[in-house]
Amino acid sequence: MKPYYNPSFATEELEFHGMEDNPESKALYFPVRSRKVLVENGIDAEEYFKYIPERSVLESTEIIYIGTLGDIPCHCFEIPEEAEFEDMEFLELNDLYGIVDEEMLGITSRAVQMADFYRTHQYCGLCGNYTHYVPKETGMQCGSCAHIAYPRISPAIVVLIEKEEQLLMARSHHFKEGMYGLVAGFVEAGETIEHAVHREVKEEVGVSIKELSYFGSQPWPFPSSLMIGFTATYKSGDIEIDANEIEDAKWFPIDKIPTPPSKKSITGSLIELFIEKHGPK
């Protein structure tokens, strides 16, 4: 793995099962509504999540402990739909790129995913009774049958495929005009990650690959994925796209590569790896 690779939406500083209570009453709060975070207008980004919710807000929803940063416990909670706030706005995670630092972006990502998990698991999937959040289990437990549901993480693969000094890139139907990315897809039930890579490549672009090598992983909260990156080399076959999945796929020489995604994404980092490998020395 290249030393410049630093996956966004990740933090090594947050202790998931740390000290939930703080004797000095310090805490960070991440208010969430439908996967958006509430921040106050006109303040510095460092102050965003030092906002202390009003008692009426705290009493109307369950406060979810998500970990401890240093000696400061972090909490998230789902904002009721009817609640209104002056001089505050809801932001998407993407809106926080470049505004908060990588560490805080990672914690905010966890907060959004955990608040969404809470919102969508308030009833037991077995008996239908109410559930409550259990910090030590990081799960929602039924008060009647004790069944516990855990946050769902969907593993997905992304792979850089090179042929001599060309890079295979594909274009999805929902990409912006002129934008290309790498072959990617979700891991299906019962298969290994490696099998998923070979299957997705064959299904989407029709070629076979070899020399598969692990690159790195990245939490990707859109909505709750874990992106697992690989590099590979072309083995055989002609490009034949699955029109239901992608719009186009081509081999690009290094001087024709479309503007890559940000290096904050694992796709961008993989493409940067290829450019460094084959670019001018």
Side-chain angles (χ1 to χ4, degrees):
M1 187 188 304
K2 287 289 184 180
Y4 63 72
Y5 177 56
N6 180 28
S8 175
F9 299 113
T11 175
E12 296 180 358
E13 302 302 321
L14 188 70
E15 185 179 351
F16 286 0
H17 302 289
M19 179 176 57
E20 181 175 357
D21 298 315
N22 187 292
E24 298 181 11
S25 299
K26 295 179 181 177
L28 293 176
Y29 290 94
F30 297 80
V32 180
R33 177 187 286 166
S34 299
R35 302 190 63 85
K36 296 181 180 180
V37 291
L38 181 67
V39 301
E40 185 175 349
N41 291 324
I43 65 172
D44 292 337
E46 300 88 38
E47 303 295 320
Y48 273 176
F49 304 112
K50 294 180 181 179
Y51 160 76
I52 300 177
E54 298 175 6
R55 182 174 296 276
S56 60
V57 173
L58 294 179
E59 291 175 348
S60 66
T61 186
E62 187 169 1
I63 305 302
I64 304 171
Y65 168 70
I66 58 172
T68 297
L69 180 65
D71 62 348
I72 302 176
C74 302
H75 308 272
C76 68
F77 57 95
E78 185 74 15
I79 294 286
E81 286 295 331
E82 65 275 9
E84 297 182 358
F85 304 90
E86 294 183 1
D87 300 320
M88 303 189 79
E89 64 177 323
F90 286 94
L91 297 179
E92 302 271 5
L93 281 173
N94 270 336
D95 297 330
L96 294 173
Y97 265 125
I99 297 178
V100 300
D101 61 29
E102 290 291 313
E103 178 181 83
M104 192 56 64
L105 191 62
I107 300 172
T108 309
S109 164
R110 177 169 169 80
V112 167
Q113 292 179 76
M114 292 305 298
D116 193 59
F117 166 64
Y118 170 81
R119 178 175 64 90
T120 57
H121 288 77
Q122 295 185 37
Y123 298 93
C124 178
L126 292 182
C127 71
N129 281 293
Y130 287 106
T131 60
H132 62 278
Y133 184 63
V134 183
K136 290 184 179 180
E137 292 288 342
T138 317
M140 298 291 286
Q141 185 169 31
C142 177
S144 178
C145 71
H147 172 71
I148 300 180
Y150 297 96
R152 186 194 71 177
I153 304 299
S154 301
I157 59 88
V158 58
V159 56
L160 180 151
I161 305 167
E162 60 178 287
K163 177 184 178 183
E164 298 173 350
E165 295 189 0
Q166 297 184 94
L167 174 63
L168 180 58
M169 302 185 74
R171 172 174 170 76
S172 172
H173 297 285
H174 64 267
F175 280 3
K176 295 179 181 179
E177 185 176 352
M179 180 180 175
Y180 281 73
L182 303 179
V183 174
F186 287 101
V187 179
E188 295 186 355
E191 69 178 350
T192 65
I193 298 171
E194 294 82 1
H195 182 271
V197 178
H198 287 277
R199 174 185 54 77
E200 284 288 346
V201 172
K202 192 68 175 178
E203 288 179 357
E204 291 197 0
V205 294
V207 303
S208 297
I209 57 175
K210 60 182 180 179
E211 299 174 353
L212 189 64
S213 179
Y214 174 74
F215 173 76
S217 64
Q218 177 181 39
W220 194 247
F222 302 108
S224 299
S225 301
L226 175 66
M227 297 297 295
I228 306 162
F230 291 88
T231 62
T233 56
Y234 167 81
K235 180 180 179 181
S236 62
D238 297 323
I239 294 178
E240 294 183 18
I241 67 169
D242 177 355
N244 293 319
E245 295 288 334
I246 60 174
E247 185 176 279
D248 188 28
K250 299 176 182 177
W251 291 104
F252 289 92
I254 191 169
D255 59 341
K256 300 293 184 181
I257 292 177
T259 303
S262 166
K263 279 174 61 177
K264 290 180 181 292
S265 73
I266 194 168
T267 297
S269 294
L270 280 163
I271 295 172
E272 185 70 18
L273 174 69
F274 176 83
I275 292 173
E276 284 196 1
K277 178 180 178 181
H278 297 286
K281 305 302 181 185

